Amino acid sequence: MFNSEPDSLFSEHHHYMTQAFRLAEEASRNREIPVGAVVVQNGRIIGRGHNQTEMLKDPTAHAEMLAISSACATIDNKYLTGCTLYVTLEPCSMCAGAIILAKIKRVVFGALDEKAGACGTLLHIAGNKLLNHRPEIIQGVMEADSRQLLQDFFKDKR
């Protein structure tokens, strides 16, 4: 779990999660479910995304999917070996599948998704031992902030 991480790694995770959180805020301003994601390789953000399902009228336009596509385009490779995905909400089954296919090394997320989370909450696709790749999962980075942003969005929507 996250609490056993060294302080320097905590600081690094917090830095990149802050970038993902800013993208989630942008999604919220655009009336999208506020989820943001960044892909990091060797200390550099190579992919960014925030939910755009409403704007694009595309159910696959999740923050993670867009960040993964952006990162793959940046490095001109379908594999993101050695990369870390930071996302404000636990990835769903579609996004967990894409994480596995892209061979992402590590997933760091904020809030748990009790209704669709596929990295340990509802399902654990990312940790399925039958699959050929299993990323490291770190949960709870900026969890309270991420959860509050989502709660505020849905409260305002109702």
Side-chain angles (χ1 to χ4, degrees):
M1 280 315 241
F2 184 74
N3 293 335
S4 64
E5 303 263 338
D7 287 343
S8 61
L9 198 50
F10 172 83
S11 178
E12 180 179 331
H13 290 330
H14 192 271
H15 170 75
Y16 292 117
M17 188 61 81
T18 299
Q19 304 304 309
F21 187 81
R22 289 181 182 152
L23 290 165
E25 291 175 317
E26 183 178 338
S28 185
R29 286 190 297 274
N30 294 333
R31 297 182 181 175
E32 298 278 356
I33 294 174
V35 179
V38 297
V39 177
V40 176
Q41 181 185 57
N42 299 324
R44 180 176 147 237
I45 295 175
I46 61 169
R48 291 176 169 80
H50 61 76
N51 276 1
Q52 295 184 42
T53 59
E54 299 298 326
M55 184 182 80
L56 297 176
K57 309 244 183 302
D58 180 354
T60 69
H62 289 196
E64 302 95 309
M65 301 294 282
L66 298 172
I68 289 168
S69 292
S70 173
C72 288
T74 297
I75 66 170
D76 194 29
N77 196 321
K78 68 179 181 177
Y79 296 122
L80 298 173
T81 308
C83 293
T84 299
L85 171 70
Y86 291 87
V87 60
T88 58
L89 180 65
E90 179 181 1
C92 69
S93 57
M94 173 184 66
C95 294
I99 289 162
I100 291 163
L101 292 173
K103 300 187 184 302
I104 291 174
K105 177 181 180 179
R106 178 182 307 114
V107 177
V108 180
F109 69 87
L112 297 171
D113 187 345
E114 294 177 8
K115 294 182 179 178
C119 290
T121 300
L122 182 65
L123 302 169
H124 199 11
I125 292 171
N128 188 320
K129 292 180 179 167
L130 298 175
L131 298 174
N132 67 343
H133 179 74
R134 288 179 303 284
E136 175 187 359
I137 304 293
I138 299 172
Q139 69 182 54
V141 179
M142 291 184 62
E143 180 177 8
D145 294 326
S146 298
R147 183 177 49 250
Q148 190 64 54
L149 184 61
L150 285 157
Q151 288 172 344
D152 291 347
F153 175 81
F154 287 111
K155 181 181 173 187
D156 290 345
K157 196 166 178 146
R158 293 183 184 117

